[in-house]
Amino acid sequence: MQRCHGDPDCKGKNLPGELSCLAHAREATRSRYLDALVPGADVNHDGTVFDDPLLTALLRSLQDTSGRASFGTCSFRGTQFPDGASFEDALFGQKAVFDGASFGVVSFDGAAFREDAWFEGARFARDASFFGATFAKESQFSRASFECPIHFSSTSFV
Ligand SMILES: [Zn+2]
C-alpha cells in the first residue's frame, strides 16, 4: 500500500488515486475530493488525523437535503479525532467501522446507524455522548476503552 507522502509518520489512508491522506492533501486536491462527494458516499479515512475543521468539511460534503451528514460504507479504522468531533444526527446508511479510532470529546447524539457499527478497540478519552443514537443492527464495542464519562441515555440498541 502506498503511504501518505504528507508526513513520514502518517498512517492515513491515501485519497483515491492520490499520494496523501485527506489531512495532508494539498488544498486543491482536498477540495476536489470533497466536492465530488455526495450524500451516502462511501468513505475510507483509516488512520487519518482529523482536526475539527477537516471533519466539519467532510460532514458538510456529505450533507443531504435535510442537512444531516449521510454516509455510505465508512471506514475510520485507527482514525484520530483529537479535538471535538461531532457526528450529531449523522446517518450511517451502511456499515460504519471505527475500530481502533481515538476520540477526544465526541458526540454521536441523534446519529442513526442503519447497519453494523464497529467500535472495537476504540479509545474514548474525554467525553463521549450517544444521546438518542440508534443502532439498528449489530454494534460492537469490545475492547473499547472509555477513559471519560460516556452518555448512552435514550440510545437504542437492537
Ligand atoms: Zn497523511
Side-chain angles (χ1 to χ4, degrees):
M1 190 191 88
Q2 283 271 14
R3 295 188 59 119
C4 171
H5 285 202
D7 181 324
D9 295 327
C10 181
K11 296 184 175 65
K13 170 101 176 163
N14 287 347
L15 296 177
E18 302 292 344
L19 295 173
S20 57
C21 72
L22 184 60
H24 290 116
R26 290 165 195 246
E27 187 68 42
T29 304
R30 182 186 302 165
S31 297
R32 189 168 359 109
Y33 170 77
L34 291 172
D35 289 348
L37 291 178
V38 293
D42 297 340
V43 297
N44 183 328
H45 295 297
D46 290 352
T48 304
V49 179
F50 275 83
D51 60 13
D52 190 36
L54 189 61
L55 181 61
T56 302
L58 176 66
L59 295 174
R60 195 177 298 130
S61 300
L62 294 166
Q63 262 175 14
D64 63 18
T65 51
S66 71
R68 68 183 195 169
S70 174
F71 289 89
T73 301
C74 66
S75 185
F76 293 98
R77 279 190 180 86
T79 302
Q80 297 175 47
F81 302 93
D83 298 348
S86 174
F87 289 91
E88 275 177 36
D89 297 324
L91 172 65
F92 295 90
Q94 301 294 330
K95 185 168 165 182
V97 179
F98 288 89
D99 292 354
S102 63
F103 299 95
V105 176
V106 63
S107 168
F108 283 95
D109 291 353
F113 295 89
R114 296 264 170 86
E115 294 294 334
D116 293 355
W118 292 2
F119 287 87
E120 264 197 78
R123 179 168 170 266
F124 296 89
R126 280 163 57 203
D127 192 90
S129 175
F130 288 82
F131 184 81
T134 57
F135 291 89
K137 295 280 175 63
E138 191 184 349
S139 54
Q140 182 68 261
F141 283 88
S142 65
R143 296 188 301 108
S145 69
F146 297 99
E147 298 152 27
C148 62
I150 178 156
H151 313 284
F152 275 120
S153 52
S154 303
T155 310
S156 67
F157 294 94
V158 277

